[in-house]
Amino acid sequence: MEDNDLKNLPGVGPATANKLKNSGFTTPEAISVTPPKEISEKTGIGFNTVLNIVKAAREKLGVDFITAEDLWKKRQDMLRCSIGSNNLNELMGGGIETQAMTELVGEYGVGKTQICLSLCVRVQLQTEEGGLDGTAVYIDTEGTFIPERVYQIAESLGLDPHKTLGNIFLARAYNTSHQELLTDHLYKFCPENNVKLVVVDSMIGHFRGEYVGRENLSERQQKLNSQLHKLLRLTEAYNLSVVITNQVQANPTAFFGDPNRPAGGNVMAHASTHRVYLRKGGKGTRIATVIDSPYLPEEKVRFKITEKGVEDAEED
Ligand code: ADP
Ligand code: MG
C-alpha cells in the first residue's frame, strides 16, 4: 500500500500536515502538482518552507524524470471505457481513454451531460463488458445531475440501479474556488474509492460567471489552467479518465462555417487531450467530431440519446 501520510514527508510535522490537509492538500501528489505560491497562500505556511515540502513530495513520488521506455510501458496500461454508441467508441479510438482528459464541447441541450451520465454507469461495468470496473466522481457546477436519469440508464442496461447510483460520488461545486478545493481533494479520494472516471460538468461555467470583463481575463485563464493541469495529472497518477464539458461561444470573426467556437481559449484547447465537438443533426440525432486530437482522425459520426443513454444513429 502506498504511504500517503503527509507527516512522513521530511520536514513536515503534525501541525504543518494539518494546515496542508485543512486547505485540501491531502496527499503528496496534490502537493507536487500545485504551484508553491498557491499552497503558501492557502495554508499560511511560509513560501520557503513550502518549497522544501514540494521538493520532498516530488522526490518521494519520483516525478522528475522517467525514461521514454517507462512512459511507453505506462501507456500500455491505458484503458478505454465504452460510451454506449459504437460510432462514438470508434471515433474515440475505442472509447474514452484513461490517462487522458476528454473535453465535450457543444451548445446547450446537445447532450454533453447525457454522455457524462451514461459514462458514469458504464465505467462500473467489468472491462470485458467495456467498462473500467471502477466508480465515478461527478463534479456538478450547474445542478444538472439527475439521479432518475442514471436510474433509467442503469435499469435499461439490466443493471441494479441502486448499486449503480451508490457507485457515483457527487459533489456540487458552488464557485471556482470550491471547484478547485474539490479538484485538490481528488488526489486522496480517487485512489481510496477506486475511481476510474471523473466528470466535471461544466468545467468553465463558474469561471465565465465569476471573471467578467477583459481586465479579469488573465487571472481567469491562469486559475483555469491550474485546475486543468491538476486534472490532467490526476489521469496519469491513477490511470483514470477525466471528462469535462465546455460551452461554445459565438465567434464574431468567423465568416465561414460554424460561427461557434469552444470557450476557454488556448488554455482549454491545450489542456484537453481530446476535444469532441457535438452538434445537433436531423431527426433528433447528434453529430460528433473530434477536433485538435494528437492522434485521432477528424471524423464525423452520428449518435442519438435514448433511454439506454447514447446509441448509434443511422446515417440519413
Ligand atoms: P447539454 O448538457 O449539452 O446542455 P443534455 O445532456 O442535458 O445537454 O441533453 C439534453 C437532451 O437530452 C435533450 O434534448 C433531451 O431531449 C435529451 N434526453 C434527455 N433524457 C432523454 C431520454 N431519456 N431519452 C431521450 N432523450 C433524452
Ligand atoms: Mg449539461
Side-chain angles (χ1 to χ4, degrees), residues 108-109 111-114 138 142 144 201-202 245:
Y108 177 77
K112 302 180 294 294
T113 299
Q114 295 299 319
Y138 203 103
E142 301 181 323
T144 51
D201 182 21
S202 107
T245 66

Side-chain angles (χ1 to χ4, degrees), residues 104 107-116 278 280 286 303 305 310:
L104 305 174
E107 62 181 10
Y108 177 77
V110 79
K112 302 180 294 294
T113 299
Q114 295 299 319
I115 294 178
C116 295
L278 306 169
K280 291 184 178 168
R286 305 289 195 267
F303 69 97
I305 304 165
V310 286

